[in-house]
Amino acid sequence: MEHQHTPYGVTETETEAAAEARRLITEAYQSERQAPTFYRDDSPVPAYGNTPPVRQDDRRIVPAWAAGIAVASIGVGAGLTGIGCGAWLVLQGLASVTLTSVLMGTLPFAALAMVATAVGGAISKARAATSQTTNVYTGAVTYTATHNTSHGMFVRTRNDIRP
């Protein structure tokens, strides 16, 4: 009789292990058989005419994750449809652009830029007028005459400075 070591330190023989395995397999198959996977209707079919309906119970259960994905996909689809409609409207507007509409659209921005430039120029002039100081030079002034000479086709300029 050979003993087998299990993860919990309990030893059992091969026959005991085989019996336990058989029991587990049988138990697994029995738990699967509880829900039938098919339905056979043995009621008699009429000789002629329509077949009467047979009640078939629907016991499907939708998992929460599947319902969540379905709701999310509907929301994403609706949102993307709205974005697509908005893009279509914008592109339709851009397709009908004329020079007049562009000028009328940019006119407020040009007017705002012109006002900003005028205000900035006025502030600059006002600041320059108040902060300018007068420098008075009291030293001797010397005047020098300048004589420029140019020669020929290839011009050479010569500046002579004389006192």
Side-chain angles (χ1 to χ4, degrees), residues 3-162:
H3 288 282
Q4 183 178 3
H5 292 284
T6 61
Y8 303 108
V10 178
T11 59
E12 56 185 28
T13 62
E14 281 192 31
T15 55
E16 290 172 342
E20 180 66 15
R22 233 178 288 111
R23 185 189 65 81
L24 290 174
I25 292 171
T26 306
E27 186 179 301
Y29 278 128
Q30 286 175 353
S31 65
E32 282 184 11
R33 290 189 196 139
Q34 290 175 356
T37 57
F38 63 91
Y39 174 76
R40 181 175 179 95
D41 184 14
D42 293 327
S43 61
V45 179
Y48 61 92
N50 292 335
T51 305
V54 177
R55 172 109 176 123
Q56 297 180 1
D57 293 333
D58 187 12
R59 295 192 186 113
R60 291 179 289 179
I61 297 173
V62 178
W65 62 268
I69 289 175
V71 169
S73 64
I74 290 170
V76 168
L80 289 179
T81 302
I83 291 171
C85 289
W88 181 80
L89 287 172
V90 168
L91 293 176
Q92 285 294 328
L94 290 176
S96 63
V97 171
T98 62
L99 178 61
T100 307
S101 67
V102 170
L103 291 176
M104 294 310 262
T106 58
L107 187 64
F109 298 112
L112 185 64
M114 188 171 61
V115 168
T117 304
V119 169
I123 291 172
S124 174
K125 293 263 185 188
R127 186 178 292 158
T130 58
S131 65
Q132 190 177 36
T133 59
T134 306
N135 292 326
V136 179
Y137 182 69
T138 56
V141 176
T142 306
Y143 176 75
T144 57
T146 305
H147 179 69
N148 297 326
T149 311
S150 298
H151 297 289
M153 187 171 160
F154 299 103
V155 178
R156 179 175 175 220
T157 303
R158 182 174 176 179
N159 294 324
D160 294 327
I161 299 175
R162 299 181 200 149

